[in-house]
């Protein structure tokens, strides 16, 4: 029988893990958990890879609408398991960075950003028959992260350092090399979707234009927003979020804090 002290140690570790998991912001927790679970399930063949991919003929003809979600939660076949683990880590770090920074207290807006990018990528994926788009979601998040920190110096493989605005291009180029010259369509689509979102929701309104992709009220109803204590208010008492959206978050991540990878 195990010693009582050992049992208490295991219980304490489990409690700490559960406490940490519960402390992760809801959008990050949901997205990372779903991505890890779906990818591992397909890699271990608990469920067939092609049962979950974004395959449009089966969506239209057999109404297999779950593919509109699961296709964005699994990494493509053929990737080395170590690379998948690395992508899981990056997804967690950049997602939580955004959710605790630009989208702090704005879970509905963050969820809408992810859904908007998924919707944009799903249309583009139809052109090239790309059925797994988890890498696209990752690149969309990293691209938005870099757009808010364009001049921040980040560290890449082999000690390369450059402004954050080049980070998405470096990742796409690296994936291109690792795939032996195959175009990483999912990543390219994620990059395009994030740029479109940033232009329509940030750049255009900052120039006096309208926000053509406002967060649907349905998202506020089911996810809600939390008003931040340092938000400016207008004479009517309505929180103003423009400046908050451009604030830089804290938190650590592999690329962007001067920590060298590779």
């Amino acid at each position: 029988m195990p010693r009582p002290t050992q049992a208490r140690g295991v219980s304490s570790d489990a409690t700490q893990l559960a406490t940490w998991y519960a402390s992760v912001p809801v959008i990050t927790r949901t997205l990372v958990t779903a991505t890890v679970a779906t990818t591992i399930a397909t890699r271990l063949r608990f469920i067939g890879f092609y049962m979950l991919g974004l395959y449009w003929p089966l969506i239209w003809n057999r109404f297999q609408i779950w593919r509109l979600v699961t296709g964005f939660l699994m990494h493509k076949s053929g990737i080395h398991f170590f690379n998948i683990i690395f992508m899981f880590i990056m997804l967690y770090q950049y997602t939580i960075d955004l959710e605790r920074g630009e989208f702090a207290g704005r879970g509905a807006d963050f969820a809408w950003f992810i859904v908007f990018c998924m919707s944009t990528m799903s249309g583009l994926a139809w052109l090239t028959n790309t059925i797994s788009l988890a890498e696209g979601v990752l690149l969309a998040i990293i691209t938005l992260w870099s757009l808010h920190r364009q001049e921040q110096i980040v560290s890449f493989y082999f000690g390369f350092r450059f402004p954050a605005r080049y980070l998405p291009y470096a990742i796409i180029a690296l994936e291109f090399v690792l795939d032996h010259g195959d175009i990483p369509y999912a990543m390219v689509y994620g990059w395009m979707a994030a740029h479109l979102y940033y232009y329509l929701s940030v750049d255009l309104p900052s120039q006096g234009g309208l926000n053509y992709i406002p967060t649907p009220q349905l998202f506020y109803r089911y996810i809600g927003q939390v008003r931040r204590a340092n938000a400016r208010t207008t004479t009517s008492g309505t929180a103003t979020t423009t400046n908050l959206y451009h604030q830089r978050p804290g938190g650590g991540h592999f690329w962007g804090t001067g920590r060298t990878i590779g």
Side-chain angles (χ1 to χ4, degrees):
M1 295 179 61
R3 296 179 181 178
T5 54
Q6 292 178 328
R8 285 196 297 269
V10 172
S11 176
S12 176
D13 291 342
T15 301
Q16 291 178 4
L17 180 62
T19 301
W20 165 80
Y21 184 76
S23 71
V24 176
V26 62
I27 305 301
T28 300
R29 184 170 67 242
T30 302
L31 178 62
V32 174
T33 300
T35 302
V36 171
T38 305
T39 300
I40 291 179
T42 55
R43 296 284 293 192
L44 298 180
R45 299 184 179 180
F46 292 147
I47 187 169
F49 180 85
Y50 291 99
M51 289 291 295
L52 303 179
L54 186 70
Y55 190 54
W56 279 106
L58 293 180
I59 295 173
W60 288 116
N61 299 329
R62 299 189 181 180
F63 203 59
Q64 295 182 0
I65 58 174
W66 66 82
R67 295 175 181 272
L68 294 171
V69 176
T70 57
F72 294 93
L73 301 177
M74 63 181 195
H75 288 276
K76 62 185 178 181
S77 60
I79 301 180
H80 193 278
F81 193 72
F82 174 80
N83 291 341
I84 291 180
I85 296 299
F86 189 62
M87 288 184 181
F88 288 160
I89 295 172
M90 286 196 297
L91 178 65
Y92 169 77
Q93 291 181 327
Y94 286 100
T95 305
I96 200 171
D97 225 8
L98 284 175
E99 191 167 6
R100 287 179 173 171
E102 280 79 7
F103 290 100
R106 300 172 55 229
D109 293 334
F110 193 27
W112 169 239
F113 159 70
I114 294 172
V115 170
F116 173 84
C117 288
M118 287 181 174
S119 302
T120 303
M121 284 187 284
S122 66
L124 294 170
W126 176 80
L127 300 174
T128 53
N129 197 30
T130 303
I131 67 173
S132 60
L133 290 148
E135 293 90 351
V137 175
L138 174 62
L139 243 292
I141 290 170
I142 290 176
T143 298
L144 187 65
W145 182 93
S146 68
L147 286 169
H148 286 288
R149 300 159 180 78
Q150 297 192 35
E151 300 306 321
Q152 180 177 329
I153 301 300
V154 299
S155 298
F156 199 60
Y157 281 100
F158 312 115
F160 287 109
R161 295 171 61 84
F162 44 77
R165 65 178 179 271
Y166 299 119
L167 179 58
Y169 306 101
I171 296 175
I172 291 173
L174 178 62
E175 186 71 11
F176 177 79
V177 173
L178 294 177
D179 280 353
H180 307 289
D182 290 338
I183 299 175
Y185 286 109
M187 288 189 171
V188 173
Y189 297 155
W191 173 85
M192 293 172 65
H195 271 277
L196 181 61
Y197 174 88
Y198 187 83
Y199 174 73
L200 293 176
S201 68
V202 179
D203 271 353
L204 199 59
S206 70
Q207 298 169 13
L210 296 176
N211 179 358
Y212 290 100
I213 52 170
T215 303
Q217 289 300 315
L218 182 67
F219 284 72
Y220 294 122
R221 186 178 308 165
Y222 287 100
I223 301 176
Q225 302 287 64
V226 177
R227 182 175 171 179
R228 294 175 62 172
N230 61 342
R232 293 192 299 107
T233 56
T234 64
T235 54
S236 63
T238 303
T240 302
T241 61
T242 302
N243 291 336
L244 298 179
Y245 191 82
H246 290 278
Q247 288 181 349
R248 288 168 56 178
H253 36 76
F254 279 117
W255 296 329
T257 59
R259 191 180 307 174
T260 303
I261 302 302

